[in-house]
Amino acid sequence: MVEWTEQERSIITSIFGNLDYNDVGPKALSRCLIVYPWTQRYFASFGNLYNAEAIKTNPNIAAHGTKATYAELSVLHSEKLHVDPDNFKLLADCLTIVIAAKMGSAFSPEVQATFQKFLAVVVSALGRQYH
Amino acid sequence: MTSLSAKDKEAVKTFWAKVSSKATDIGADALGRMLVVYPQTKTYFSHWKDLSPGSAPVKKHGQTVMGGVADAVSKIDNLTAGLLNLSELHAFTLRVDPANFKILSHNILVVLATMFPNDFTPEVHVAMDKFLAALALALSEKYR
């Protein structure tokens, strides 16, 4: 069971409290598709992903980046989508970069450590239902 | 993984020209972050009095490391040959586990994002990620 200090909880709450999901979600997802192009294989039905410009302006990517449902996400990713769990880490890294760019110097080493710990837990949870 | 295309090299050189004046700050911040976020890396610096971000040894060593990165940018057309001596240093003397190259690279990218949010576009990000990976590979050359 993961342990969280009061300080870590407050850092995470503060980051997500100030987050514009409609901005950060699509940015992180499109960054992931550009920096790690093999991840595009999971979005073949989304239309034009041929270059960075197309990815950044693709409306399906923008919409997908903002989905916030958590019901059986892990089962969905393994049973239906067959996403290689390594990809969760790639998206987590892109999300870290996007949040870092947004927060600038406020993204201190301590905040980075807490945020990465949180994402590692999410990534682990998403991978748990695979077999 | 993949080698650097002409487009990648252009992107790296252009971006580096923009940020090189801050190389010392970038190096110090990246190193300081690494020691906090990945505490296992502290084992390589047990001889330092102070490992906290912003401390004198961290700043000085951050400058040394970024000097290496700057050198690598100038030798981007043949990293393996250009970084031979550094590879020998890391392999035989320092014996840094190459897994740590990836960790430091990630922290360098995070610092670039915090310091240059508008210039560190996804296109620049992928070029720098590839470049740092190629740099790490060249550094690993002499290990075995």
Side-chain angles (χ1 to χ4, degrees):
Chain A
M1 195 58 198
V2 183
E3 305 258 317
W4 298 99
T5 64
E6 266 315 303
Q7 198 197 10
E8 285 172 331
R9 282 175 198 272
S10 116
I11 287 172
I12 295 295
T13 317
S14 157
I15 291 177
F16 283 91
N18 291 324
L19 220 55
D20 176 5
Y21 294 163
N22 292 324
D23 178 50
V24 167
K27 273 197 179 133
L29 182 58
S30 56
R31 190 170 280 260
C32 191
L33 295 170
I34 293 166
V35 180
Y36 310 107
W38 55 91
T39 55
Q40 291 168 27
R41 90 184 269 277
Y42 300 109
F43 298 95
S45 63
F46 276 35
N48 187 359
L49 297 175
Y50 296 134
N51 52 50
E53 260 324 293
I55 291 172
K56 285 190 242 189
T57 53
N58 184 308
N60 290 318
I61 295 294
H64 197 74
T66 66
K67 265 173 122 167
T69 52
Y70 284 96
E72 291 145 346
L73 260 182
S74 178
V75 174
L76 173 73
H77 279 74
S78 80
E79 298 293 305
K80 186 159 175 275
L81 303 171
H82 305 295
V83 178
D84 182 339
D86 281 349
N87 292 287
F88 302 150
K89 181 133 200 334
L90 299 180
L91 182 57
D93 283 349
C94 281
L95 196 47
T96 303
I97 298 279
V98 169
I99 300 288
K102 198 170 163 284
M103 292 179 66
S105 54
F107 197 65
S108 68
E110 290 71 31
V111 171
Q112 181 184 344
T114 304
F115 190 66
Q116 291 194 198
K117 177 178 171 180
F118 172 72
L119 287 183
V121 173
V122 172
V123 164
S124 165
L126 272 179
R128 198 161 293 145
Q129 297 307 318
Y130 280 64
H131 56 85
Chain B
M1 231 190 226
T2 46
S3 52
L4 298 171
S5 67
K7 192 161 154 265
D8 292 326
K9 294 181 189 177
E10 240 345 276
V12 170
K13 286 193 232 180
T14 307
F15 181 67
W16 186 252
K18 279 190 201 157
V19 311
S20 57
S21 60
K22 293 265 191 250
T24 305
D25 292 333
I26 296 170
D29 195 349
L31 196 65
R33 259 169 215 282
M34 183 184 80
L35 296 168
V36 168
V37 183
Y38 303 88
Q40 69 271 22
T41 57
K42 292 199 279 193
T43 55
Y44 292 101
F45 306 102
S46 49
H47 54 288
W48 285 357
K49 257 205 206 108
D50 186 355
L51 284 108
S52 56
S55 70
V58 170
K59 269 192 181 155
K60 182 160 176 291
H61 197 63
Q63 189 177 18
T64 306
V65 169
M66 272 337 252
V69 174
D71 190 39
V73 174
S74 71
K75 294 172 176 165
I76 201 169
D77 289 314
N78 193 344
L79 287 170
T80 313
L83 299 178
L84 210 65
N85 291 336
L86 270 180
S87 180
E88 284 180 353
L89 175 72
H90 284 75
F92 304 134
T93 311
L94 301 174
R95 288 188 273 210
V96 176
D97 186 330
N100 294 295
F101 299 153
K102 205 165 186 294
I103 293 178
L104 183 56
S105 296
H106 170 71
N107 284 293
I108 290 174
L109 293 177
V110 168
V111 170
L112 292 174
T114 61
M115 288 175 77
F116 308 98
N118 297 321
D119 291 301
F120 197 63
T121 60
E123 294 88 327
V124 169
H125 179 169
V126 61
M128 284 305 295
D129 192 24
K130 286 178 76 173
F131 167 65
L132 290 173
L135 205 171
L137 197 60
L139 272 183
S140 313
E141 198 48 46
K142 291 308 221 176
Y143 272 69
R144 56 175 177 173

